[in-house]
Each structure stands twice: as C-alpha cells, then as structure tokens.
Amino acid sequence: MTCNIQTEMLKADEDIYIRITEELKHFLKPDEPLISGLSNFISLLKYSLKKISWVGFYINKEGNLWLGPFQGKPACVKISSGKGVCGTVLIQGKTIIVEDVDNFPEHIACDAESKSEIVVPLFIHGNIWGVLDLDSNILNAFSETDKNYLEKICSFLAETLNFNESLI
Ligand code: SME
C-alpha cells in the first residue's frame, strides 16, 4: 500500500514537472531581464509543487552565495563557499538531496520548520552561476525524480535566458 502511494506521488510530481517545462517554453524570453524570468520561474515552482516551503536561487559571486529571487519566508542573505547544503553544492558541483536536515551537519537552518531539501547547481559555460534551493516541511520530500527534472530545467534556463546580465 505504502509503495503504491509513493509511486502515485512520484507520478504526480512527474506530471507537474512536465507541465512546468511546457509552461517555461512559453513564458521565458532571452530578450527580457534575467531577474524577471528567474522570478517568474521561482513562482511557478512554488505554486506548482505543494510540498515546497521555500524555493529560490543563491547566486555565486567570487565564491560566496548571495540570496536571489525566491518565494517563502525571509532567508539567509549570504552563504560562504563550503557552508550549508548550498555552499557544499557550490564546491562539489553536484546536486545534493537531504532526506533529513538534522542528519546533514553542515545544514543552515533559515527556517526551523524545514525538514528536507534539494540543492541543484546551475552552470553557465561550465561555471556555477548559482544554485537552486528547494526546502520542504515534509521529511524525505525529494527524490531522484525531482533531481532529474530540476537538473533538466536548470539546463533549459541556462540555454534560454541571458545570463550575461549581472544580478549582484
Ligand atoms: N538550508 C540551506 C540554507 C538556505 S535556506 O534553506 C533558504 C543550506 O543549508 O545551505
């Protein structure tokens, strides 16, 4: 039974990601300001995936991550390289799924209610432009399905928007 529920939830997430990807193709434009496209993208994620409590970008500037467009409660403004889940992804260049934030010693708790997290790097010309961070108040909310689709979506953003524009 539990297995069936999990399969159905993963399928539901997959359907949502497919719809998000289709919507992005229509409303992201390379000739519009980067901050506008990213802000709309974040809003689309927040209001499509009900399990998310917080979603946003941290933008890399000279090895530090700075808070970018986000939806959710106010959050830490600066994360140093190697600190927190975000700073670890900045160093490792790979997505991290945290099933239970209490078991990730480096986790930075911007919101005490956050229970699990996924952080995905966004690459521009081989360099990490920043990271996309999603939090949930549900334990173990993120799976390989989230990882696969979020990585594809980040690649799509990198190909579609004009990242030459500096946001910070
Ligand atoms: N938990 C993150 C910090 C950012 S907040 O979740 C918005 C981390 O450990 O890097």
Side-chain angles (χ1 to χ4, degrees):
M1 188 60 160
T2 313
C3 214
N4 284 343
I5 291 170
Q6 278 172 348
T7 309
E8 278 172 30
M9 283 170 68
L10 288 177
K11 177 76 176 67
D13 279 353
E14 196 161 15
D15 289 346
I16 291 168
Y17 280 117
I18 290 168
R19 184 175 52 73
I20 288 172
T21 307
E22 283 310 306
E23 285 189 38
L24 287 177
K25 285 181 192 158
H26 289 103
F27 77 66
L28 290 185
K29 307 265 180 351
D31 56 344
E32 290 176 355
L34 179 59
I35 195 155
S36 308
L38 294 180
S39 300
N40 260 340
F41 162 65
I42 291 295
S43 173
L44 184 61
L45 274 187
K46 178 75 173 71
Y47 288 96
S48 301
L49 285 165
K50 301 296 173 212
K51 63 187 179 184
I52 297 177
S53 56
W54 193 96
V55 53
F57 285 104
Y58 277 93
I59 303 167
N60 180 14
K61 186 173 188 190
E62 293 155 9
N64 291 309
L65 291 168
W66 294 90
L67 184 61
F70 75 95
Q71 296 256 336
K73 291 184 187 169
C76 328
V77 171
K78 179 186 176 189
I79 298 176
S80 303
S81 179
K83 299 292 177 195
V85 187
C86 295
T88 306
V89 169
L90 180 63
I91 287 181
Q92 296 182 353
K94 285 189 298 196
T95 298
I96 295 180
I97 296 175
V98 181
E99 295 179 2
D100 179 350
V101 296
D102 288 340
N103 293 336
F104 193 96
E106 271 294 338
H107 174 257
I108 298 168
C110 295
D111 176 359
E113 287 182 60
S114 175
K115 299 270 190 300
S116 61
E117 179 162 6
I118 182 169
V119 179
V120 180
L122 193 156
F123 289 93
I124 301 294
H125 306 309
N127 299 314
I128 297 191
W129 173 87
V131 301
L132 175 63
D133 180 12
L134 286 78
D135 292 346
S136 176
N137 292 344
I138 303 164
L139 267 178
N140 198 10
F142 302 105
S143 67
E144 287 294 309
T145 300
D146 296 279
K147 176 179 182 289
N148 292 339
Y149 279 99
L150 290 169
E151 286 178 351
K152 275 189 206 144
I153 288 173
C154 280
S155 298
F156 178 74
L157 295 178
E159 286 161 14
T160 309
L161 293 173
N162 178 11
F163 280 84
N164 293 328
E165 203 179 310
S166 175
L167 293 188
I168 53 168

